[in-house]
Amino acid sequence: MAENTKIEWCDHSWNPWIGCTKVGPGCDHCYAETLSRARLGVVWGPGQERRRTKPANWAKPHKWNREARAFAEANGGRKQRVFCASLADVFDNGVDPAWRRDLFDLIAATPNLDWLLVTKRIGNVAKMLAEIGIDHLPPHVWLGITVVNQAEADRDIPKLREAPATIRFLSIEPMLGAVVLRSEWLAELDWVICGGESGPGARPMHPDWARSLRDQCADAGVPFLFKQVGEWLHEDQLGWWPYGDDAIESCRWADGFYRVGKKAAGRLLDGVEHNGYPHA
């Protein structure tokens, strides 16, 4: 399953297989699980079958790889970014290692693309790569982890630092609490993505958490991308609200937050759109 995506930080989202298991608080309201079950009939969870996507889907990255020169000429020389996998986790224990071998063969055959792998299972990376004969990810693979709070940062960022990758990044989304990044972590990070939660059951993200992260990255010279505010807009962000007082009064309110929806809340942090990327 591949598509030109609405995700702000990539050009394509592409799935070698579909299905996963929830492993943390960031997974509580997972859009991918809902989409997989409702549209594709794939049930998530331990022991559930992961569904490999069709050969026609696996052919699409080869097409993008062939088109790379034209894309680069039209986009300042950069490569297309492929988010793999939006409806799965490459390092999921429930995946056949042979499928993972096929995926990394495909990645090796498409060096004109930048492959973005985001995992919640960073502890699996080195051993699962070793199982298929890989001791270091190629430079056109960016390895990221999902971190939603300080506890996950303390647990998983040290593992990311040890991972066999050239480009390492954080996806702090949904941001469920303040996160302080140690200086030694920032020195080895190439990119930080941040965003609030959207969809049914979304939890608010206080803008102070995002501001702190923005400032930490700026001080360390780490590219920062603010993906979205999420469903909830805090009252101290209303100065950037473009729809007028009448519209805001119709929104539900709790603890200083207005539920205005993802689209209306937008991507601005204190009136600024942040679109930092690493130099690949």
Side-chain angles (χ1 to χ4, degrees):
M1 183 176 182
E3 60 182 344
N4 292 318
T5 182
K6 294 182 180 179
I7 297 173
E8 289 78 0
W9 43 266
C10 62
D11 301 292
H12 303 280
S13 59
W14 182 85
N15 288 278
W17 51 82
I18 298 168
C20 197
T21 296
K22 293 182 177 181
V23 293
C27 303
D28 288 349
H29 307 130
C30 180
Y31 78 94
E33 180 191 26
T34 302
L35 187 154
S36 298
R37 183 189 292 265
R39 298 187 185 179
L40 306 171
V42 178
V43 178
W44 282 32
Q48 297 292 339
E49 182 180 1
R50 310 313 190 219
R51 181 183 299 174
R52 180 163 169 148
T53 55
K54 296 181 179 180
N57 184 60
W58 282 70
K60 290 178 180 178
H62 290 290
K63 176 177 180 291
W64 303 331
N65 190 68
R66 292 192 299 270
E67 296 170 347
R69 177 174 294 182
F71 181 90
E73 289 175 352
N75 290 274
R78 78 165 178 88
K79 297 180 180 180
Q80 293 185 74
R81 305 183 191 101
V82 181
F83 172 28
C84 174
S86 61
L87 302 178
D89 190 320
V90 170
F91 300 101
D92 174 13
N93 293 307
V95 173
D96 185 339
W99 292 6
R100 197 174 292 111
R101 172 71 274 174
D102 291 344
L103 170 61
F104 281 97
D105 285 346
L106 173 64
I107 289 172
T110 53
N112 298 323
L113 306 174
D114 281 328
W115 288 84
L116 281 59
L117 311 184
V118 183
T119 183
K120 291 181 171 65
R121 297 163 173 83
I122 187 61
N124 286 348
V125 171
K127 66 180 181 181
M128 287 185 172
L129 291 176
E131 288 174 353
I132 58 175
I134 296 175
D135 58 10
H136 196 281
L137 291 169
H140 68 293
V141 174
W142 306 6
L143 181 63
I145 60 172
T146 298
V147 167
V148 302
N149 54 32
Q150 190 67 51
E152 290 193 351
D154 292 341
R155 181 192 69 197
D156 288 344
I157 294 177
K159 299 176 186 176
L160 177 63
R161 294 176 69 201
E162 298 299 321
T166 301
I167 296 182
R168 301 178 180 89
F169 68 97
L170 303 181
S171 176
I172 304 181
E173 185 188 11
M175 194 176 202
L176 301 181
V179 175
V180 176
L181 301 176
R182 301 176 188 174
S183 59
E184 61 267 29
W185 298 348
L186 284 163
E188 297 182 17
L189 286 174
D190 298 285
W191 192 25
V192 174
I193 300 168
C194 170
E197 191 168 33
S198 58
R203 293 155 285 189
M205 176 188 68
H206 199 287
D208 284 348
W209 304 342
R211 291 173 179 135
S212 173
L213 194 63
R214 172 199 63 196
D215 295 345
Q216 293 174 62
C217 290
D219 289 344
V222 176
F224 175 76
L225 188 146
F226 187 65
K227 182 175 179 288
Q228 63 183 36
V229 173
E231 295 286 334
W232 297 86
L233 190 68
H234 191 261
E235 59 189 2
D236 75 1
Q237 288 282 85
L238 292 181
W240 312 111
W241 172 257
Y243 299 102
D245 293 342
D246 291 341
I248 199 67
E249 289 304 320
S250 67
C251 302
R252 291 184 290 168
W253 177 90
D255 299 326
F257 288 92
Y258 294 83
R259 185 158 195 161
V260 301
K262 172 185 172 179
K263 182 176 180 180
R267 295 190 57 214
L268 300 183
L269 179 59
D270 295 334
V272 177
E273 189 174 290
H274 296 273
N275 291 308
Y277 289 95
H279 297 290

